[in-house]
Amino acid sequence: MEKLEDQLITVRDWLRWAVSRFNEAGLFFGHGCDNAYDEAVWLILHGLSLPLDRLEPFLDARLTRAERQTLSNLLERRIGQRVPTAYLTREAWLGEFRFYVDERVIVPRSYFAELLEEGLHPWLDDPLEIGTALDLCTGSGCLAILMAHAFQNAAIDGVDLSPEALAVARRNVAEYGLEEQVRLVRSDVFDGLEGYRYDLIISNPPYVTTGAMEAIPAEYLHEPSLALVAGSDGLDVVRRILAQGAEHLTPGGLLLVEVGHNAHLVEEAWPQVPFTWIDAPSGESKIFLMSREELLEHFA
């Protein structure tokens, strides 16, 4: 039987084949793209070391046998093993920011990325007034890096329990030349931050429920479970953040926590608390905001 790499000759051939197979295989797209076409373009252009924003000039280019073998191997891993494209390419994007990723960290995805583009306006009047900020559960360091760009006068701490994740974060911080502004700390939530207080704390913590993990698409099983699962209601880490958050905020400081689709679980767990929910361009009520004073009132 003729091998795949002998049948598909041009970039156009490989792209058509990949889109068809992605759809046929029922792949899940939740790690940077939301459809088969965009993900196939990303994977093919990366595999050929071509610019990710220049497809048209190369569509009818004939590929060498070595290039075709490279694409065959990449596409087989994406289809057969359900490996997210971000892990195959070793990169993920939040807006214009590129980050190195591998299986030691979850693939960056956060509603915070959109909000940080505007310096958390209107919840913060002046980003330049933020002197200290914390990214709790930093993973790859992506949000700490975005915070460093948004709050240029701030000393940023990025905290994670996983030493493997922090190794990836160090690589990303170094690639952006932010070693003087971003400090990475190994800590189990706030346990290693005694005495530290911040004007702003953001967190995109683990919040997947144990029930949801049983039905989660196979692509997510390549990610570290430590960064995903947080108990039966997904709120194990959120509880610790709320209980300890006030003692790590300066007067007037703000805490923002992303919980994805679990807003209803948060409100069910604390029905007496008037949470302020923030809308991002791509999602409503995915992040809640609380001031230090509100934390003292409801969780002290």
Side-chain angles (χ1 to χ4, degrees), residues 127-183:
L128 296 179
E129 292 183 354
I130 299 296
T132 54
L134 170 64
D135 174 23
L136 197 59
C137 307
T138 194
S140 63
C142 58
L143 294 183
I145 290 167
L146 294 185
M147 291 173 79
H149 284 84
F151 311 117
Q152 296 181 16
N153 291 338
I156 311 292
D157 281 352
V159 166
D160 207 281
L161 174 61
S162 165
E164 293 81 11
L166 289 173
V168 175
R170 278 192 292 272
R171 175 170 178 166
N172 283 316
V173 168
E175 287 188 358
Y176 280 96
L178 292 170
E179 296 95 329
E180 296 299 316
Q181 187 180 3
V182 178
R183 182 180 73 124

Side-chain angles (χ1 to χ4, degrees), residues 87 100-107 139-140 164-166 168 223-224:
Y87 288 152
Y100 172 86
V101 294
D102 59 33
E103 288 84 351
R104 292 174 290 177
V105 295
I106 64 170
V107 177
S140 63
E164 293 81 11
L166 289 173
V168 175
E223 298 184 299

Side-chain angles (χ1 to χ4, degrees), residues 9-25:
I9 305 302
T10 66
V11 172
R12 190 186 301 273
D13 293 338
W14 282 94
L15 178 59
R16 199 285 308 161
W17 185 89
V19 173
S20 294
R21 296 293 82 74
F22 283 7
N23 286 326
E24 181 182 70

Side-chain angles (χ1 to χ4, degrees), residues 41-166:
V41 169
W42 177 20
L43 189 53
I44 289 170
L45 289 177
H46 178 91
L48 297 173
S49 300
L50 292 172
L52 298 184
D53 60 349
R54 298 290 303 278
L55 172 64
E56 292 297 328
F58 307 108
L59 275 172
D60 294 311
R62 295 171 62 87
L63 305 184
T64 67
R65 175 168 291 277
E67 289 174 327
R68 284 178 268 154
Q69 185 62 58
T70 294
L71 292 187
S72 180
N73 293 340
L74 285 171
L75 293 166
E76 170 53 33
R77 291 190 66 200
R78 181 68 188 96
I79 298 167
Q81 301 175 33
R82 296 295 201 272
V83 179
T85 291
Y87 288 152
L88 296 173
T89 63
R90 293 292 191 245
E91 67 179 8
W93 296 79
L94 291 176
E96 297 299 315
F97 290 83
R98 177 194 177 277
F99 302 99
Y100 172 86
V101 294
D102 59 33
E103 288 84 351
R104 292 174 290 177
V105 295
I106 64 170
V107 177
R109 50 188 182 274
S110 175
Y111 297 99
F112 276 120
E114 301 167 323
L115 299 176
L116 288 170
E117 287 183 10
E118 304 298 326
L120 293 180
H121 179 80
W123 300 279
L124 290 179
D125 292 330
D126 184 358
L128 296 179
E129 292 183 354
I130 299 296
T132 54
L134 170 64
D135 174 23
L136 197 59
C137 307
T138 194
S140 63
C142 58
L143 294 183
I145 290 167
L146 294 185
M147 291 173 79
H149 284 84
F151 311 117
Q152 296 181 16
N153 291 338
I156 311 292
D157 281 352
V159 166
D160 207 281
L161 174 61
S162 165
E164 293 81 11
L166 289 173

Side-chain angles (χ1 to χ4, degrees), residues 36 44 72 151 194 225 274-275 293:
I44 289 170
S72 180
F151 311 117
E194 184 176 355
S225 61
F275 287 96
E293 291 66 32

